[in-house]
Amino acid sequence: MMLFTEVRGLPVVPPAESGPLGTVTSLAVDIASGAVSHVRLRGGRLRRESALPWDAVRAVGPGAVRVRSAAAPDTVPPRHDLLGRRVLTETGSGHGTVLDVAFDPGTGRLLAVFTTRGEVPADRLLGLGDHALIVRAG
């Protein structure tokens, strides 16, 4: 298990001995599949933000995110970061703010969301938008 906050700031390293592709800025999530969909990174000559699909990731460890190849990054998916996002139940009740997210670094599968009002199991996640993370009341 790893936390999103542990991955932020790690270098993204290709398999060749060349330098890092950039630094992780955040992890994008697909709520429908309950998994990380992309690694967002900032780097390169112009220091622009780009994204690599999760299936390009070979390993995530405490020192780096290792990718399978230095392939061109995807177009950047819409930015809906979980960290700091307001949490609402499907009935509109507040459930705090997202502090961190636990995930399996091998598969990208989300395990739990930690909010200011407690832990929310990943199977209770319903949607993520500009305004909030929506969860099933439990």
Side-chain angles (χ1 to χ4, degrees), residues 13-82:
V13 181
E17 293 300 320
S18 62
L21 299 173
T23 303
V24 176
T25 57
S26 65
L27 298 175
V29 172
D30 176 30
I31 294 295
S33 68
V36 175
S37 63
H38 289 79
V39 175
R40 290 177 172 277
L41 60 133
R42 185 170 303 280
R45 290 180 299 130
L46 302 175
R47 306 280 304 153
R48 289 189 182 151
E49 187 171 77
S50 58
L52 292 170
W54 182 258
D55 61 5
V57 174
R58 188 179 74 198
V60 179
V65 173
R66 301 199 182 283
V67 295
R68 297 181 197 291
S69 71
D74 271 3
T75 54
V76 180
R79 186 171 199 87
H80 295 298
D81 289 339
L82 278 176

Side-chain angles (χ1 to χ4, degrees), residues 87-103:
V87 181
L88 297 172
T89 66
E90 78 268 42
T91 61
S93 300
H95 194 74
T97 304
V98 176
L99 296 172
D100 217 334
V101 181
F103 73 104

